Amino acid sequence: MANLGIGLTIIIVVNQWSEEMKIGVIGAGFIGRALATLAVKSGHEVMISNSRHPRTLGSTAVAIGCRIGTAQDAAEFGDVVFVAIPLLAYKEIPEVPLAGKIVVDANNYYPQRDGAIEELESHATTTSELLAEHLAGAKVVKAFNAILQGDLEKDGRPAGAPDRRALPIAGDDAQAKQVVTGLIDAFGFDAVDAGPLSESWRFERAKPAYCIPLDVAGLTQALAAAERDVEVAHGSWRRR
């Protein structure tokens, strides 16, 4: 790892993560389906779930080539569990089966959808710290929240490609971050570590690194430029 002087670290994956894992996905929206698809293509066994009933995911399972189940099932199934749901529902994530597991938090806070959450409005905490507080004992890593679904599906490139995009991560457990970094690499992206969960605000909604296609150098600069009280123009991340 190379320290960048402001708490940011470029994570270099020497050997691409190739060990087959069981991956649970809680949330079958755009990001959840994209992550499940990439995980299956990378050789992992995947179970996806939603807030309704597994039978509503029949066509999704066929299209992706994965299992389906409830959120409880997916939490119990996965060695690594992705959470990609509206933030307002984070307390509905089952706690007990995720204790000790790596939980990849791809959630974002949209007040108009989630309602105003005072701890986030006052910057007393971050979205991932809220989830980590709920999931006591889980190893929460913030990742895959700062990329649009379409880009996640099409922007992946082989390691070393000159146009390879970088994605930010944050977390308090170094080993968990290495596992997630391996998944990021396998999905076709480089990773830049923004530090602990307390620094994950740097790539939350409306920050310079949020959903903007950047390489390692550009992402590092965007993370460093983030200001807690300053937001970029709403929707600007949808412009290429």
Side-chain angles (χ1 to χ4, degrees), residues 152-228:
L152 188 56
E153 294 176 335
K154 69 180 178 58
D155 281 2
R157 299 288 188 273
D163 60 342
R164 202 180 206 216
R165 181 170 172 173
L167 299 180
I169 71 168
D172 297 334
D173 186 287
Q175 184 177 17
K177 284 197 285 190
Q178 285 288 353
V179 172
V180 176
T181 295
L183 287 169
I184 290 172
D185 179 59
F187 292 176
F189 303 90
D190 290 327
V192 176
D193 184 0
L197 287 182
S198 61
E199 291 294 307
S200 61
W201 63 268
R202 291 182 178 276
F203 54 97
E204 290 180 342
R205 176 191 56 83
K207 297 303 178 189
Y210 183 68
C211 294
I212 305 297
L214 298 166
D215 61 12
V216 167
L219 178 57
T220 300
Q221 184 177 9
L223 290 168
E227 298 180 59
R228 199 72 187 263

Side-chain angles (χ1 to χ4, degrees), residues 56-220:
T56 65
L57 292 171
S59 59
T60 298
V62 173
I64 295 174
C66 66
R67 300 187 186 193
I68 55 177
T70 64
Q72 179 79 19
D73 294 334
E76 293 175 351
F77 174 83
D79 302 313
V80 174
V81 178
F82 290 105
V83 176
I85 61 172
L87 186 65
L88 61 88
Y90 80 91
K91 290 185 179 179
E92 298 175 17
I93 301 299
E95 306 165 55
V96 174
L98 293 174
K101 292 187 177 183
I102 297 172
V103 174
V104 183
D105 174 26
N107 297 332
N108 286 301
Y109 173 48
Y110 280 87
Q112 67 271 30
R113 177 197 65 190
D114 302 316
I117 299 174
E118 176 56 33
E119 302 99 305
L120 298 178
E121 294 291 332
S122 65
H123 309 312
T125 189
T126 64
T127 54
S128 286
E129 287 176 300
L130 278 181
L131 183 62
E133 183 179 1
H134 171 62
L135 299 177
K139 302 170 185 177
V140 176
V141 177
K142 188 74 168 182
F144 296 111
N145 70 299
I147 182 169
L148 299 174
Q149 168 251 339
D151 292 352
L152 188 56
E153 294 176 335
K154 69 180 178 58
D155 281 2
R157 299 288 188 273
D163 60 342
R164 202 180 206 216
R165 181 170 172 173
L167 299 180
I169 71 168
D172 297 334
D173 186 287
Q175 184 177 17
K177 284 197 285 190
Q178 285 288 353
V179 172
V180 176
T181 295
L183 287 169
I184 290 172
D185 179 59
F187 292 176
F189 303 90
D190 290 327
V192 176
D193 184 0
L197 287 182
S198 61
E199 291 294 307
S200 61
W201 63 268
R202 291 182 178 276
F203 54 97
E204 290 180 342
R205 176 191 56 83
K207 297 303 178 189
Y210 183 68
C211 294
I212 305 297
L214 298 166
D215 61 12
V216 167
L219 178 57
T220 300

